[in-house]
């Protein structure tokens, strides 16, 4: 009988790509992968440390596994496992905790899967996390997350990622292209590029600071891989998103007109406290350049509310800045204190009820922005890639510029591309459409 292993991933697309690669390693060792809700001999939880909730959820996920199989071996890996290994090892039921470098060798640390009295820790000093492990995730049949870069050399005052993932380092261009070809050979239509700071791609390509390639080189090379219908850039720092990259995407046959650009604050004073590497004028320039070259592009924005020192005036500055900016949606994060960060010791702590109120205001603005963007797209001709899930009798998909559409469920549409015309916004906020041609596009 094959041993069974199940995985639970918290956090970002990068974590999902790494979980997928680690899972394939288990399959190579003769394990059978099952869903986390099923009976398994081992449960692996890939943790995140970006938000307070991700930390708190860990205990409930361990309990969830134990409820299904109290005798199962439970391992914790990922960012939180690197930052707080003792804390995770002390959680009842946890048998193994692996840090940043050890997680990719997890099968080396397991023997007979018998339970431990105490969680066993194998965690490196983060300075040792200086080598690169490539990975990609195939979560469904339509889209794959391809990791191209890891770690970060930036020192933003609120962020634990450099402590959890180490220095900025990149996959070799040759390996990225090999992984992209592997993904496309499996019939997957869209690849999403992911990493901690993907605009920094190239640095650490040879295990040191020397590098031959830039993010623009990467983008140009991926354009040449056969069989990929769509390439999407997940998130890129505004100071690293160069005009040359924007111009290339505008002319590209495979890169789609969708950018996600972290802002974090619309107040220059707060950006300086955060030690971000740009001010609002540069951000305005990036958005303007995208709009000049791709008027229908979707532009998403990350923003943090309630950072220490953020006064009512600073927040309103952010609100008005975003309200006037021609963007499509927001990802709003409520600031939460993280140990061993500069911001945790800053003065001017914003009360939690105020943080929550500001967060609610910006989430309301995001709804308004997305609605306005969708309305601007009505009547236009787009291409949709349909997803694989039946959601209450409907199949959903995304256009190249990230408009979410729906139509009555038809399994024949799964993982197919179609030319459509957007017609109206449904009461749930998704967009209805009509087929321009009935046959499958590719």
């Amino acid at each position: 009988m094959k041993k069974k292993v199940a995985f639970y991933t918290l956090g970002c697309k990068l974590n999902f790509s790494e979980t997928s690669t680690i899972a394939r390693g288990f399959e190579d060792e003769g394990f059978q992968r099952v869903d986390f809700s099923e009976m398994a001999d081992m449960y692996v939880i890939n943790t995140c440390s970006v938000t307070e909730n991700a930390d708190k959820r860990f205990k409930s996920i361990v309990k969830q596994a134990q409820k299904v199989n109290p005798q199962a071996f439970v391992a914790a890996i990922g960012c939180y496992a690197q930052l707080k290994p003792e804390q995770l090892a002390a959680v009842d039921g946890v048998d193994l905790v692996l840090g940043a470098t050890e997680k990719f060798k997890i099968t080396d640390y397991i023997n007979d899967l018998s339970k431990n009295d105490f969680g066993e820790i194998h965690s490196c000093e983060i300075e040792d996390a200086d080598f690169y492990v490539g990975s990609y995730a195939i979560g469904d049949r339509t889209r794959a997350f391809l990791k191209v870069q890891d770690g970060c050399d930036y020192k933003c005052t609120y962020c634990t990622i450099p402590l959890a993932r180490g220095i900025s380092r990149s996959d070799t261009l040759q390996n990225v292209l090999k992984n992209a070809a592997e993904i496309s050979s499996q019939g997957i239509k869209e690849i999403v590029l992911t990493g901690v700071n993907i605009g920094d791609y190239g640095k650490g390509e040879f295990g040191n600071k020397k590098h031959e390639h830039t993010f623009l080189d990467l983008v140009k090379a991926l354009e040449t891989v056969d069989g990929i219908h769509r390439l999407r850039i997940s998130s890129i720092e505004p100071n690293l998103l160069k005009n040359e990259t924007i111009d290339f995407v505008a002319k590209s046959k495979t890169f789609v007109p969708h950018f996600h650009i972290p802002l974090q604050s619309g107040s220059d004073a707060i950006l300086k406290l955060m030690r971000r590497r740009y001010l609002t004028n540069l951000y305005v320039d990036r958005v303007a350049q995208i709009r000049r070259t791709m008027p229908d592009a979707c532009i998403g924005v990350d923003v943090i509310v309630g950072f220490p020192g953020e006064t009512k005036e600073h927040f309103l500055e952010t609100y008005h800045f975003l309200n006037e900016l021609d963007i499509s949606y927001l990802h709003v994060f409520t600031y939460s204190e993280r140990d061993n960060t500069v911001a945790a010791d800053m003065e001017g702590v914003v009360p939690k009820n105020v943080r929550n109120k500001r967060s609610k205001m910006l989430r309301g603005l995001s709804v308004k922005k997305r609605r306005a963007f969708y309305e601007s797209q009505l009547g236009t001709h787009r291409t949709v890639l349909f997803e694989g899930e039946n959601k209450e009798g409907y199949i959903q998909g995304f256009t190249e510029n990230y408009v979410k559409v729906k139509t009555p469920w038809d399994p024949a549409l799964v993982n197919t591309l179609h030319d459509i015309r957007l017609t109206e916004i449904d009461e749930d906020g998704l967009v209805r459409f009509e087929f321009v041609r009935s046959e499958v596009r590719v």
Side-chain angles (χ1 to χ4, degrees):
M1 287 285 289
K2 277 187 173 183
K3 295 279 189 189
K4 293 179 179 177
V5 61
F7 296 84
Y8 197 109
T9 305
L10 291 159
C12 61
K13 294 181 178 78
L14 181 56
N15 269 8
F16 278 93
S17 76
E18 291 180 344
T19 297
S20 200
T21 295
I22 290 164
R24 288 194 291 275
F26 270 91
E27 287 165 2
D28 292 343
E29 295 286 335
F31 281 77
Q32 179 188 345
R33 184 176 182 178
V34 298
D35 190 79
F36 201 82
S37 62
E38 296 177 43
M39 172 73 82
D41 301 287
M42 180 173 181
Y43 294 90
V44 180
I45 305 166
N46 194 354
T47 63
C48 169
S49 69
V50 172
T51 66
E52 203 173 12
N53 288 342
D55 294 358
K56 288 175 180 173
R57 283 185 64 196
F58 177 76
K59 284 182 184 175
S60 67
I61 295 161
V62 172
K63 281 180 183 167
Q64 194 178 317
Q66 287 184 304
K67 201 175 282 185
V68 182
N69 182 6
Q71 299 309 311
F73 190 90
V74 177
I77 61 173
C79 291
Y80 194 36
Q82 174 66 34
L83 291 172
K84 299 282 182 71
E86 291 84 5
Q87 205 167 311
L88 293 192
V91 173
D92 189 39
V94 173
D95 301 290
L96 179 66
V97 179
L98 298 180
T101 60
E102 292 79 12
K103 63 188 173 189
F104 294 106
K105 301 175 286 191
I106 183 170
T107 54
D108 296 345
Y109 290 99
I110 54 176
N111 298 313
D112 59 357
L113 297 184
S114 56
K115 298 289 287 174
N116 291 327
D117 293 334
F118 302 100
E120 189 181 307
I121 297 171
H122 296 277
S123 181
C124 67
E125 293 298 321
I126 198 58
E127 290 76 18
D128 297 333
D130 58 359
F131 59 90
Y132 186 86
V133 178
S135 60
Y136 60 84
I138 299 172
D140 55 39
R141 288 166 53 200
T142 60
R143 179 182 297 115
F145 301 131
L146 173 58
K147 173 183 167 185
V148 300
Q149 183 274 342
D150 201 351
C152 189
D153 291 341
Y154 287 10
K155 298 289 187 284
C156 300
T157 53
Y158 53 82
C159 188
T160 57
I161 287 175
L163 302 173
R165 285 189 168 270
I167 60 170
S168 179
R169 53 210 189 274
S170 307
D171 206 349
T172 63
L173 190 59
Q174 183 183 6
N175 200 52
V176 172
L177 297 179
K178 179 180 81 70
N179 284 342
E182 277 179 24
I183 292 167
S184 73
S185 72
Q186 297 181 52
I188 288 160
K189 302 281 197 293
E190 180 174 310
I191 292 177
V192 183
L193 302 185
T194 186
V196 174
N197 188 359
I198 63 172
D200 208 25
Y201 175 81
K203 192 187 284 183
E205 199 178 351
F206 303 102
N208 51 32
K209 295 299 178 192
K210 178 178 172 289
H211 63 93
E212 275 177 21
H213 300 106
T214 64
F215 183 70
L216 180 59
D217 294 334
L218 172 73
V219 165
K220 286 180 174 176
L222 281 165
E223 175 94 346
T224 66
V225 177
D226 287 338
I228 301 173
H229 300 280
R230 283 184 177 181
L231 285 156
R232 200 178 293 274
I233 299 167
S234 63
S235 179
I236 184 165
E237 293 284 306
N239 53 303
L240 295 174
L241 178 57
K242 307 297 185 188
N243 283 351
E244 295 84 356
T245 303
I246 294 170
D247 294 344
F248 182 82
V249 170
K251 299 186 187 83
S252 171
K253 291 184 177 68
T254 49
F255 276 90
V256 294
H258 175 207
F259 294 87
H260 193 92
I261 314 168
L263 169 68
Q264 311 309 15
S265 177
S267 162
D268 285 344
I270 298 299
L271 287 175
K272 287 173 184 174
L273 285 175
M274 291 176 165
R275 289 189 198 157
R276 300 292 287 160
R277 297 199 176 192
Y278 55 86
L279 296 174
T280 50
N281 60 348
L282 181 134
Y283 200 93
V284 169
D285 285 349
R286 299 302 85 195
V287 171
Q289 180 67 13
I290 293 167
R291 286 282 168 245
R292 267 194 297 273
T293 55
M294 292 166 274
D296 291 321
C298 180
I299 304 174
V301 181
D302 285 342
V303 61
I304 296 170
V305 297
F307 188 79
E310 183 188 71
T311 62
K312 181 183 175 183
E313 290 71 28
H314 291 136
F315 171 72
L316 289 175
E317 201 179 343
T318 294
Y319 187 93
H320 295 310
F321 178 78
L322 289 166
N323 191 37
E324 290 162 20
L325 204 59
D326 191 0
I327 53 154
S328 314
Y329 65 89
L330 304 171
H331 280 173
V332 183
F333 297 90
T334 306
Y335 172 76
S336 60
E337 287 78 2
R338 313 316 273 153
D339 289 345
N340 302 314
T341 59
V342 174
D345 297 320
M346 283 183 175
E347 294 178 355
V349 173
V350 178
K352 290 202 172 173
N353 65 320
V354 176
R355 297 182 209 182
N356 293 336
K357 185 180 175 187
R358 291 174 184 175
S359 180
K360 195 173 178 182
M361 282 178 69
L362 283 184
R363 288 197 171 100
L365 179 61
S366 181
V367 170
K368 190 179 93 170
K369 286 283 184 183
R370 194 184 295 271
R371 176 87 187 191
F373 175 61
Y374 281 8
E375 284 175 353
S376 76
Q377 296 304 298
L378 296 181
T380 64
H381 287 230
R382 296 284 163 226
T383 304
V384 62
L385 173 60
F386 286 107
E387 313 252 302
E389 204 177 332
N390 183 340
K391 295 197 174 176
E392 297 176 357
Y394 288 91
I395 188 169
Q396 299 179 355
F398 285 97
T399 64
E400 66 274 32
N401 62 341
Y402 215 56
V403 174
K404 196 172 190 179
V405 303
K406 65 184 276 195
T407 197
W409 170 254
D410 178 355
L413 292 175
V414 173
N415 196 33
T416 60
L417 286 153
H418 292 263
D419 291 329
I420 60 170
R421 188 176 76 85
L422 303 178
T423 56
E424 62 181 315
I425 300 173
D426 212 353
E427 57 192 21
D428 61 2
L430 304 190
V431 180
R432 296 284 200 148
F433 61 89
E434 56 189 31
F435 288 101
V436 174
R437 292 201 297 261
S438 59
E439 71 273 17
V440 177
R441 189 165 176 260
V442 287

